[in-house]
Amino acid sequence: MPLDFEILVVGAGPAGCAAGYDLASAGKHVLLLDKYAFPHHKPCACGLTRKTLKALRYPVDPVIERVCSDVVLEPIKSPEAVTAPQPADRIRLHARSPICAMAVRERFDAFCLQKTLSAARNGGAISLWKIDRIHALREGPDHVEVDVIRTDGAETRMETLRAPIIIGADGSNGQTRRLVQPRTTSPGVATGESEQDGFALEATVPYAALPKILPSGLAPQELVFDFAPLPGGYGWLFPKADHLNIGVGVFSPAQDDGCRRLKQITRKLLQSYAQQKLGISTLDHVTGQQLGMGGHNYLPRGRVLLTGDAAGLVDPLTGEGIHSAITSGQAAAAAILSCPEGERSNDVAAVYARNLRPLQRTLAFSLRAAKAFHHHPERGFQAMRTPFMRSLILKTYAEGIPYTRLLTALARFTS
Ligand SMILES: Cc1cc2nc3c(=O)[nH]c(=O)nc-3n(C[C@H](O)[C@H](O)[C@H](O)COP(=O)(O)OP(=O)(O)OC[C@H]3O[C@@H](n4cnc5c(N)ncnc54)[C@H](O)[C@@H]3O)c2cc1C
């Protein structure tokens, strides 16, 4: 016999927790499923922009390790350039309000999960099950059944769970998207859009292992976005309390050589980047993950609502995904709460689609801005030297002001 639940949420990362929090506090009975016990490692630099902090339902101060109001942008190395970019070419941006707060992802996730598991109000309830994996997912006329494999001590067994609606929040490599859209790897593909994928690698380095001033002339505690290591993405240094997070990622592969660009994100690239930036020759515990992209075209259908990376909602210009994960999780919860009990699933999917549209419009603009920027990176970087563009970029990244303004300005500089 299937076990019945009001709502199942697969994945307890930022998207799943955001959805679970709103549903449980509105009186719904929610079961969260995750394949890991918490805290667990998730490859992520965990830069939390102002808009992300604003979107969260609770302050996350206990897990904030540093707040950055300054950003260093390292220039692109043009193919014609004989020498590497020089320190004099770098751009320093300063904002009156904090741009980005820094957390460590394991602690951030565990904190959000703990808030979510204590969010139940108005007769609601929420709990978390650790599962090994989903074995099968069947969408019926008025409910979805999910067969999950669970291990309890020495015993591994399959259980069938049933709910009228499921939220797929299991990230870029999760199962729900593949089970719901089996022939597609990216939500955008379903609508005929060319596939976009991103990939990023990261590692951590304790400050104790670094000199006070790095070989690049920077202090280890500076927030750095570096466009030199690769086209279509950037390298970063994100300063935490006692260590920095170093990484490289590609977010905007051009259609023709996207796969080639993704393959460039290797341990070797990160290693040589660390050598060049930090002067260290070994990195411990390098981890990476695909980023869910292409979701500006995702059209929710049926009884499984995809959110966050599972819906491909990472920003193609910045690689930022936590903000989209939270807002899409909240949008899915709002859709469920706004449809009366027993309402047809299409109504919930249609309301979710409507709720998601502002975010998708922003992502579509972001994609165009990314294409414009990466088409003529030198011109794009040149544009950043103007005070107007600097302030626009800072505001767009930190606060999420409409991309139209950034796009129009970028187009002027890059055409
Ligand atoms: C190297 C790197 C650096 C990044 N840095 C930043 C950054 O600084 N700022 C930012 O905003 N974004 C960053 N991102 C993107 C960000 O990590 C993601 O966009 C964000 O985590 C998406 O949240 P999510 O809840 O959709 O998915 P996830 O965070 O991936 O959470 C999915 C959850 O589902 C669980 N799960 C997976 N499969 C299953 C399954 N089959 N069954 C049950 N549970 C499952 C996982 O254990 C996990 O807990 C980075 C990404 C990478 C790879």
Side-chain angles (χ1 to χ4, degrees), residues 252-401:
S252 315
Q255 283 81 343
D256 50 352
D257 64 354
C259 287
R260 193 170 61 76
R261 285 191 187 181
L262 285 181
K263 284 186 190 143
Q264 286 179 348
I265 307 291
T266 58
R267 254 164 211 275
K268 211 167 142 201
L269 176 74
L270 183 57
Q271 193 67 66
S272 72
Y273 183 56
Q275 175 72 59
Q276 178 216 332
K277 258 357 221 193
L278 310 177
I280 57 168
S281 53
T282 48
L283 284 173
D284 297 329
H285 197 52
V286 174
T287 60
Q289 193 173 348
Q290 247 183 324
L291 293 130
M293 311 198 80
H296 59 286
N297 275 322
Y298 163 57
L299 187 62
R301 278 189 305 250
R303 297 182 170 278
V304 183
L305 310 180
L306 300 177
T307 57
D309 274 28
L313 298 174
V314 169
D315 187 308
L317 184 61
T318 62
E320 187 188 3
I322 300 174
H323 173 259
S324 294
I326 293 167
T327 52
S328 60
Q330 292 169 347
I336 293 169
L337 294 172
S338 71
C339 290
E341 213 78 12
E343 198 84 344
R344 282 186 12 255
S345 65
N346 279 348
D347 294 343
V348 180
V351 177
Y352 177 46
R354 218 169 35 241
N355 293 350
L356 210 52
R357 226 163 273 148
L359 174 64
Q360 288 179 307
R361 261 201 297 270
T362 302
L363 296 178
F365 278 128
S366 182
L367 180 62
R368 287 170 57 197
K371 281 181 181 164
F373 179 73
H374 292 295
H375 191 54
H376 286 299
E378 298 88 353
R379 286 192 220 165
F381 205 80
Q382 201 54 35
M384 290 187 213
R385 295 190 181 281
T386 66
F388 168 71
M389 279 302 285
R390 285 183 196 193
S391 122
L392 203 53
I393 286 165
L394 273 184
K395 280 206 178 106
T396 308
Y397 175 62
E399 289 170 24
I401 62 164

Side-chain angles (χ1 to χ4, degrees), residues 161-181:
L161 316 177
R162 187 165 65 180
I165 293 284
I166 290 189
I167 294 180
D170 48 350
S172 57
N173 301 326
Q175 290 183 276
T176 48
R177 181 172 84 197
R178 276 180 276 132
L179 291 167
V180 177
Q181 303 176 337

Side-chain angles (χ1 to χ4, degrees), residues 10-16 33-36 38 40 42-47 105 131 134 169-172 174-175 200-202 236 238 289-291 307-310 314 319-323 325:
V10 185
L33 303 171
D34 204 288
K35 65 175 181 177
Y36 291 111
F38 285 70
H40 72 87
K42 147 87 177 89
C44 183
C46 209
R105 187 57 198 262
I131 59 168
I134 298 175
D170 48 350
S172 57
Q175 290 183 276
L201 277 179
E202 55 107 59
W236 70 78
F238 277 19
Q289 193 173 348
Q290 247 183 324
L291 293 130
T307 57
D309 274 28
V314 169
E320 187 188 3
I322 300 174
H323 173 259

